[in-house]
Amino acid sequence: MLDASAVLVTGGAGFLGSHLCDRLIKEKNEVICVDNFYTGGKQNIAHLLQTPGFELIRHDITFPLYLEVKQIYNFACPASPIYYQRDPVQTTKTNVHGAINMLGLAKRVKARILQASTSEVYGDPAVHPQPESYWGKVNPVGIRSCYDEGKRCAETLFFDYWRQHNVEIKVIRIFNTYGPRMHINDGRVVSNFIVQALKGSDMTIYGDGQQTRSFCYVDDLIEGIVRMMAGPADFRGPLNLGNPEEYTMLELAEKILELTRSKSKLIFKALPSDDPKQRKPDISLARQSFDWEPKVKLIDGLKETIQYFKKIL
Ligand code: NAD
Ligand code: UDP
């Protein structure tokens, strides 16, 4: 029977949420996965559906949800620019109304709640690498704002529910993460490049390819998330989680070409507006607080991810 000892994962049928469900089930938690299947799908959690202790609910978190749980991981929100820009009003609603609903639930049942925030709160950063103390440089009216400002407002709500209602909150800022179960048409750079390379089609570099990102393998990220949730009540974050190894998009494309032995050509397309020029986490706080740092090298993580896409293509 599921009761107040259960752990709720919103967005649990998505890329990160499904890996988190796996980890929580492995650690013998009862898990309630809530998802509206906007970008996630049952295929990501199909292997858990017969597992005792796992329950799936189709629900949109912009509507209230009444459950009895001890912990909440709030991961619901499309993470890929293509999808979060397709219905930007819904993206803001998911971030803001969704956060209010989940915080309201946490307040009612006295659950600890962790927010999946993002490096996008730093916008196109003027400080490099980005420490948690940096307030960011975000366009409030651009095409990325529904996501960036939505996530920033969600952080505000988390801290105000703590200050005003004493809710036990945790906020993590996730930097670009990749791995198996990324959606094939996700539109994010790692999945795009791998799928293009495996199909032998042109690899689409946006802009001149000199912009940088730092890519964290999903297993490393999940380890950091679980440590943060289990940490002391008075450690609320925000906490950066990501891999500080920084690459240009051209370097990433070349690595993927090499690993897939693909003959794909690189082609250059327009840079989307407000695309950050550089991004790299300062993870000193995670190192000091939880002795956490990523272990998986980009080459090894890419190999795993390439294997996954080979299987599903
Ligand atoms: P994803 O798109 O694979 O997963 C998001 C999940 O949320 C999907 O299953 C989707 O169907 C669900 N969802 C969306 N709107 C919903 C709603 N209103 N109600 C219920 N479910 C809803 O993305 P992901 O990469 O797994 O990202 C998960 C979380 O982590 C997101 O909050 C994202 O902002 C955050 N994040 C991810 C990254 C990354 O690199 N993957 C980086 C920073 C932050
Ligand atoms: N990008 C690219 N080609 C693609 C997809 C993305 O060059 O096919 C670039 C994109 O412009 C950005 C970087 O890769 O500079 C990372 O994009 P992604 O959407 O993965 O993440 P985000 O911009 O949200 O960090």
Side-chain angles (χ1 to χ4, degrees):
M1 203 178 98
L2 292 167
D3 55 26
S5 61
V7 179
L8 170 62
V9 181
T10 75
F15 162 49
L16 296 181
S18 63
H19 284 277
L20 183 59
C21 287
D22 281 346
R23 171 70 184 256
L24 294 170
I25 286 288
K26 203 168 140 202
E27 289 176 355
K28 309 272 179 255
N29 291 286
E30 292 182 23
V31 174
I32 304 178
C33 165
V34 162
D35 206 293
N36 69 351
F37 303 128
Y38 176 53
T39 48
K42 281 193 194 148
Q43 72 282 358
N44 288 336
I45 34 118
H47 57 289
L48 294 175
L49 290 174
Q50 303 309 320
T51 307
F54 182 81
E55 188 178 344
L56 172 65
I57 301 175
R58 181 194 286 253
H59 175 81
D60 183 324
I61 63 156
T62 62
F63 297 97
L65 178 66
Y66 290 86
L67 291 169
E68 308 304 313
V69 291
K70 65 169 181 189
Q71 287 180 347
I72 303 169
Y73 290 88
N74 190 33
F75 275 62
C77 182
S80 154
I82 294 184
Y83 288 96
Y84 73 63
Q85 287 165 14
R86 185 165 288 172
D87 188 349
V89 173
Q90 171 68 6
T91 301
T92 303
K93 278 190 191 167
T94 296
N95 280 319
V96 177
H97 292 188
I100 291 172
N101 288 331
M102 292 308 108
L103 285 160
L105 171 61
K107 180 180 153 207
R108 183 177 64 79
V109 300
K110 299 194 172 27
R112 181 176 281 200
I113 180 166
L114 180 145
Q115 167 69 355
S117 189
T118 169
S119 53
E120 299 281 337
V121 300
Y122 302 122
D124 189 5
V127 170
H128 193 73
Q130 295 79 54
E132 291 85 352
S133 54
Y134 177 50
W135 290 355
K137 185 168 144 254
V138 176
N139 176 358
V141 294
I143 57 170
R144 292 175 86 101
S145 313
C146 57
Y147 186 76
D148 302 6
E149 296 288 24
K151 290 281 187 184
R152 286 169 69 97
C153 184
E155 288 199 10
T156 307
L157 283 162
F158 267 67
F159 277 83
D160 282 334
Y161 266 76
W162 159 56
R163 282 185 286 256
Q164 198 174 330
H165 299 300
N166 221 14
V167 172
E168 263 192 35
I169 59 145
K170 306 267 171 190
V171 173
I172 53 166
R173 292 182 178 153
I174 303 170
F175 284 65
N176 297 63
T177 302
Y178 69 100
R181 298 193 200 142
M182 291 186 93
H183 197 281
I184 197 158
N185 298 318
D186 185 88
R188 277 178 282 185
V189 68
V190 174
S191 46
N192 268 12
F193 284 178
I194 292 179
V195 171
Q196 290 162 345
L198 290 176
K199 287 184 169 167
S201 44
D202 293 343
M203 287 168 82
T204 51
I205 312 272
Y206 300 163
D208 60 7
Q210 293 303 328
Q211 70 273 35
T212 66
R213 296 291 186 274
S214 310
F215 299 101
C216 185
Y217 188 64
V218 61
D219 292 357
D220 282 332
L221 182 83
I222 299 294
E223 182 60 40
I225 293 170
V226 168
R227 287 193 201 181
M228 177 64 168
M229 184 61 125
D234 63 353
F235 186 74
R236 303 174 185 93
L239 178 79
N240 285 343
L241 291 178
N243 192 322
E245 273 185 30
E246 187 183 6
Y247 297 91
T248 67
M249 294 311 101
L250 272 178
E251 286 168 339
L252 178 72
E254 273 149 21
K255 278 200 185 341
I256 291 174
L257 272 176
E258 210 181 292
L259 290 171
T260 53
R261 296 198 187 92
S262 168
K263 303 242 176 319
S264 288
K265 286 199 299 289
L266 305 186
I267 58 161
F268 293 84
K269 293 202 154 185
L271 189 69
S273 101
D274 292 338
D275 198 276
K277 282 181 273 313
Q278 53 181 3
R279 188 182 291 146
K280 167 181 168 150
D282 178 334
I283 58 164
S284 319
L285 187 58
R287 280 199 176 105
Q288 282 160 24
S289 314
F290 302 112
D291 194 24
W292 176 88
E293 63 181 5
K295 303 255 183 293
V296 181
K297 294 269 156 242
L298 182 65
I299 291 285
D300 297 323
L302 286 178
K303 282 185 189 160
E304 290 292 323
T305 315
I306 290 167
Q307 278 315 317
Y308 169 77
F309 279 113
K310 267 190 187 161
K311 249 189 271 159
I312 62 164
L313 270 175

